[in-house]
Amino acid sequence: MKRRSFLKKSAAASAAFTIVPSFVLGGNHIPPSDTLYIAAVGVGGRGGGVVRELTQHGKVKFVALCDVDDKMGAGSYALHPKAKQYRDFRKIYDNHLNDIDAIMVGTPDHTHATIALPFMREKKHAYVEKPLTHNIYEARLMAETAAKQGIITQMGNQGASSDGIRLAQEWINAGVIGKVHRVDCWTNRPVWPQGFKHITQGQPVPDHLDWDLWLGPAAKRPYNENYLPFKWRGFWDFGTGAMGDMGCHIMETPFKTLNLGFPYEAEASCTTIWSGDFVEADYSEACPPSSIVRLKFDSPTQGDVSLNWYDGGIMPDLPSELKDNESPGNNGGGSIFYGSDGIMITDTYSGNPRLLPSERMKDFKRPAESIARVKTSHAGEWVDACLNNKLTSSPFSYGGPLTEAVLMGNLAIKAFQYKTLKSGKKVGDWDPYNYPGRRTIKWDGANMRVTNYEEANAWVKRAYRKGWKL
């Protein structure tokens, strides 16, 4: 980066003899030191939204844009026609490593770490969508790499930059609801088909898609339209289910305000799928259509905290203090905090903190504002931090542990799903399975190990296809 900065300054000095700077002519001159040069990978869908957000900031130049799907990337390509276009992110690494300051990754979950880490190891700042990674091992590695390289990072959980999370934090810090011992979180996800049998039939790969690049580190399989562009979230090889999709948005509120860290235990229960009359299905590739997860934390500020997660249409118990015309969250989900001196509710993305019973809000004197508010967008905050060497709202030092806590819930879900045939039984028999993982999973967060069910440790890290190892 020092060499690139030198070349830019040298070029600017040489040009000064022959070119009149734009600010002399009344234009909006932005010196190179005030511009963040970015490559973006995964620029359709959510990634396209981040590209637009970064564009609106005004101090960003896109050097290269990359998407394995030409159709999905078309909007971003049209927005930045001068940026180089690629399907393979590795060509950005080969051709533009010395041209960029930062990388943005908005691809499906299973390729976040694979794409981001090579650039991070070259000291490129990184913005990566939530969840930070596909598995716990990758989340730890991303956080460690960011710290080692001293780069500016931001996970794409937008609520972390909101006024809502800061307001909730100030209320918790001021003891408005006392010590918190329980939080119930829920989401309306999945909002895609989830929990169904394996996809075995292949279809022709569309001309606009590089299917092999989309698979990345996942095992090869035939293309099928039931994976793309959104439904990959419901398959363990690619996505992280409802909890992975929204946990970093909704669990973020208690995780940050209560200083939760690693959970020390987790257990889950999930919907059972039936493939026929009295025939239990074994769709192990698919995330379940609904689940409940119970996590336990030892908070240095609150003591023992139970965090309960609900998805797939399952709701937590409604507080008796909630009136018939009042909602416990919003249509996307929310959180209910149970404290020794009352109840606080927030919506999805930490929005709209409020107290129960609602009469408390009438004469409630808010604690003095003590946490600085973000004046720009979540992605914009990252740009400012990169240009000015400042902290972000969700650096990987925070986003990594949050992702680990969320994915620990998924580990419990996988343990609940796991089944083995009983001796003398075959698939299709009545009651053919044992369920060795249906237990409280004990977790040693510091060492990333399940201590009471060895089989579950296989899910802490994934298997990587040849040529795609980290």
Side-chain angles (χ1 to χ4, degrees), residues 98-110:
N98 293 326
D99 303 326
I100 64 172
D101 305 306
I103 187 78
M104 188 285 286
V105 179
T107 59
D109 303 350
H110 71 295

Side-chain angles (χ1 to χ4, degrees), residues 254-371:
F255 191 84
K256 181 170 285 186
T257 59
L258 305 181
N259 194 14
L260 293 185
F262 301 127
Y264 63 83
E265 67 179 41
E267 64 178 71
S269 60
C270 310
T271 301
T272 300
I273 306 296
W274 300 90
S275 58
D277 296 343
F278 297 98
V279 179
E280 184 178 343
D282 183 16
Y283 302 153
S284 57
E285 290 183 2
C287 309
S290 62
S291 60
I292 299 172
V293 178
R294 298 176 179 88
L295 300 169
K296 292 287 186 69
F297 297 85
D298 183 11
S299 164
T301 58
Q302 309 297 316
D304 206 51
V305 176
S306 298
L307 191 154
N308 305 306
W309 172 268
Y310 305 82
D311 63 45
I314 302 175
M315 291 286 292
D317 295 337
L318 297 180
S320 59
E321 294 86 348
L322 192 73
K323 294 180 174 59
D324 289 343
N325 62 342
E326 294 174 345
S327 170
N330 62 3
N331 60 357
S335 299
I336 306 172
F337 290 67
Y338 291 89
S340 57
D341 295 326
I343 297 173
M344 181 178 74
I345 287 177
T346 61
D347 294 342
T348 314
Y349 309 106
S350 306
N352 190 26
R354 53 202 183 275
L355 302 175
L356 290 182
S358 53
E359 286 82 4
R360 286 192 66 181
M361 296 300 296
K362 293 179 181 178
D363 300 318
F364 177 55
K365 185 177 180 181
R366 293 186 177 187
E369 187 174 304
S370 59
I371 304 172

Side-chain angles (χ1 to χ4, degrees), residues 51-286:
V51 169
R52 291 189 295 273
E53 197 174 310
L54 290 168
T55 302
Q56 292 166 3
H57 184 276
K59 293 186 178 181
V60 167
K61 179 177 178 60
F62 285 95
V63 174
L65 299 172
C66 177
D67 203 292
V68 299
D69 190 325
D70 301 337
K71 185 180 291 186
M72 291 294 291
S76 293
Y77 297 157
L79 188 62
H80 295 281
K82 293 183 179 180
K84 296 292 184 182
Q85 299 174 17
Y86 297 96
R87 282 184 170 183
D88 191 339
F89 76 94
R90 293 170 294 193
K91 292 186 176 180
I92 295 178
Y93 185 93
D94 292 340
N95 298 335
H96 300 287
L97 191 62
N98 293 326
D99 303 326
I100 64 172
D101 305 306
I103 187 78
M104 188 285 286
V105 179
T107 59
D109 303 350
H110 71 295
T111 53
H112 285 183
T114 303
I115 294 170
L117 278 168
F119 293 93
M120 292 171 61
R121 287 168 176 149
E122 297 293 336
K123 297 186 181 298
K124 307 304 177 185
H125 306 307
Y127 182 106
V128 179
E129 264 302 310
K130 60 77 206 166
L132 184 61
T133 59
H134 184 258
N135 59 68
I136 293 171
Y137 167 79
E138 291 176 345
R140 185 72 58 92
L141 182 59
M142 291 274 275
E144 289 175 348
T145 302
K148 179 180 179 181
Q149 301 300 334
I151 57 178
I152 307 299
T153 57
Q154 182 91 299
M155 181 172 72
N157 54 323
Q158 291 72 29
S161 292
S162 70
D163 287 357
I165 186 64
R166 287 155 177 77
L167 197 63
Q169 183 75 75
E170 289 163 350
W171 294 9
I172 294 293
N173 290 351
V176 170
I177 61 170
K179 292 283 189 181
V180 176
H181 60 274
R182 169 185 159 192
V183 184
D184 290 344
C185 300
W186 75 99
T187 179
N188 65 339
R189 265 48 165 198
V191 290
W192 54 84
Q194 185 165 290
F196 301 107
K197 63 182 178 180
H198 316 308
I199 295 173
T200 57
Q201 296 298 316
Q203 296 173 336
V205 179
D207 292 339
H208 57 81
L209 172 69
D210 189 317
W211 176 239
D212 188 70
L213 283 175
W214 189 93
L215 286 173
K220 294 198 73 170
R221 72 208 65 202
Y223 165 80
N224 190 288
E225 64 183 3
N226 288 301
Y227 292 124
L228 301 180
F230 194 71
K231 294 180 282 294
W232 54 264
R233 289 168 170 81
F235 296 91
W236 289 123
D237 273 0
F238 311 129
T240 49
M243 193 168 188
D245 185 56
M246 291 303 291
C248 290
H249 289 311
I250 297 173
M251 278 176 57
E252 201 253 345
T253 320
F255 191 84
K256 181 170 285 186
T257 59
L258 305 181
N259 194 14
L260 293 185
F262 301 127
Y264 63 83
E265 67 179 41
E267 64 178 71
S269 60
C270 310
T271 301
T272 300
I273 306 296
W274 300 90
S275 58
D277 296 343
F278 297 98
V279 179
E280 184 178 343
D282 183 16
Y283 302 153
S284 57
E285 290 183 2

